[in-house]
Amino acid sequence: MLRIAVPNKGMLSEPSWNLLREAGYKLRANSRQLVVIDEENDLELFYLRPADIAVYVGAGNVDVGITGRDMLLNSGTEAIEHMELGFGGSTFRFASPVESDIYDLKDIDGKRVASSYDKLVGDYLAEKGINAQIIHLDGAVESSVQLGVADLIADVVSTGTTLKNAGLRLFADPILKSEAILVRSARVSADDEKLQIFVRRLRGVLTAHRYVLIDYDIPTENLAQAVEVTPGYESPTISALHDSNWSAVRSMVPKDKLNVIMDELYAVGARAIIVTAIQATRM
């Protein structure tokens, strides 16, 4: 059986569960269930703390897992990033008190930096040649400066509102841009058949989320222009209509560019433009 670790809580948990559910896998029946055996799909799911997943995968206790890139880099394990999953995006940044003299990366030298990701931050600063004391905190990092524990912080930032309310401001370039990723054990080959089936299922769902099918009629003389707008994943499907002056086209297009594409198609003469959601794919 393929052994898979999934987040039991946190920002990545529900998107991960939904991804697995749409890929056809059995999930736990209640929050107290920590292990699920899915005999039909020949795998086991282990619900673990997100920060621990890379550790278990790196040690080979489980084969693959879903975690954040920031948590993988902070784990110090030999788990391998195998695939980006496209959700749970976040940015890791430095923040200092509004009235402090810490404005640049070089200003961190000799200072105390509070973070829940001490290895990630320590490695980053060492790479930049900066010597600082890393203060490990498990949470509420933004309060550490006001309480006198640290001079500045390094933390995950979404809107920045929490930092602003704590009297902090962002500075310097982002340390890391993170997102949810699939990690695998070094003991599992990238060519492992069970892993490849699992990855194809996930990619099929992710592709269905990112693309839609578009159908439209186009004057045959304008077909080349329309195909430039909707080149498709491989190539669009083109069918002749009863009226030989018109052709029908079907193509996959990115969902986030859909309305722009429809406008461009209409401008080159396309009519009867219809969009259909994609439930699942195998690409």
Side-chain angles (χ1 to χ4, degrees), residues 32 60 62 71 73 99 116 126 161 281:
R32 295 185 301 276
V62 290
M71 288 179 264
L73 294 176
E99 298 180 357
S116 300
T161 303
T281 68

Side-chain angles (χ1 to χ4, degrees), residues 27-283:
L27 302 183
R28 65 183 180 182
N30 59 71
S31 60
R32 295 185 301 276
Q33 192 174 1
L34 301 179
V35 181
V36 175
I37 298 177
D38 186 345
E39 293 183 357
E40 181 179 351
N41 291 299
D42 198 26
L43 60 78
E44 288 181 279
L45 290 182
F46 295 84
Y47 289 79
L48 304 173
R49 288 180 66 248
D52 294 338
I53 288 175
V55 176
Y56 283 103
V57 174
N61 302 111
V62 290
D63 300 316
V64 295
I66 297 175
T67 188
R69 181 177 292 117
D70 51 354
M71 288 179 264
L72 168 62
L73 294 176
N74 195 60
S75 70
T77 69
E78 296 180 358
I80 300 166
E81 179 173 337
H82 187 79
M83 173 186 175
E84 294 180 346
L85 298 177
F87 61 84
S90 62
T91 305
F92 208 77
R93 301 288 302 270
F94 288 112
S96 62
V98 173
E99 298 180 357
S100 76
D101 59 355
I102 305 173
Y103 292 97
D104 203 293
L105 204 59
K106 67 180 184 301
D107 299 329
I108 300 175
D109 200 69
K111 298 294 194 299
R112 299 169 300 164
V113 185
S115 181
S116 300
Y117 296 78
D118 40 316
K119 184 181 188 308
L120 172 60
V121 176
D123 288 348
Y124 180 83
L125 291 176
E127 182 183 327
K128 301 294 183 181
I130 295 170
N131 183 29
Q133 180 185 357
I134 310 300
I135 309 294
H136 175 80
L137 296 174
D138 285 326
V141 174
E142 63 276 359
S143 301
S144 62
V145 175
Q146 186 177 359
L147 293 173
V149 174
D151 301 305
L152 68 148
I153 71 168
D155 202 9
V156 174
V157 177
S158 51
T159 63
T161 303
T162 303
L163 296 179
K164 186 176 180 181
N165 291 340
L168 302 173
R169 55 168 165 74
L170 300 173
F171 72 96
D173 293 332
I175 302 168
L176 174 72
K177 290 188 177 179
S178 184
E179 67 173 287
I181 57 173
L182 184 71
V183 295
R184 65 176 170 86
S185 167
R187 302 179 186 182
V188 178
S189 167
D191 297 326
D192 181 87
E193 184 179 357
K194 291 180 181 178
L195 175 60
Q196 287 191 330
I197 291 172
F198 181 68
V199 167
R200 277 199 297 270
R201 284 203 186 187
L202 297 191
R203 283 196 173 128
V205 173
L206 294 174
T207 301
H209 288 174
R210 295 168 184 162
Y211 288 84
V212 292
L213 280 178
I214 191 165
D215 291 91
Y216 58 89
D217 296 341
I218 184 78
T220 303
E221 63 182 6
N222 298 343
L223 186 57
Q225 293 172 274
V227 168
E228 285 186 14
V229 177
T230 60
Y233 198 84
E234 299 288 349
S235 180
T237 300
I238 299 172
S239 306
L241 295 180
H242 180 70
D243 183 340
S244 60
N245 293 319
W246 286 79
S247 296
V249 179
R250 165 169 281 193
S251 184
M252 285 176 61
V253 299
K255 187 184 294 186
D256 61 353
K257 298 179 181 178
L258 175 60
N259 284 293
V260 171
I261 289 171
M262 292 175 74
D263 292 338
E264 292 177 353
L265 285 174
Y266 196 89
V268 298
R271 297 296 182 266
I273 304 171
I274 300 172
V275 177
T276 308
I278 300 172
Q279 184 172 352
T281 68
R282 289 293 183 275
M283 307 308 294

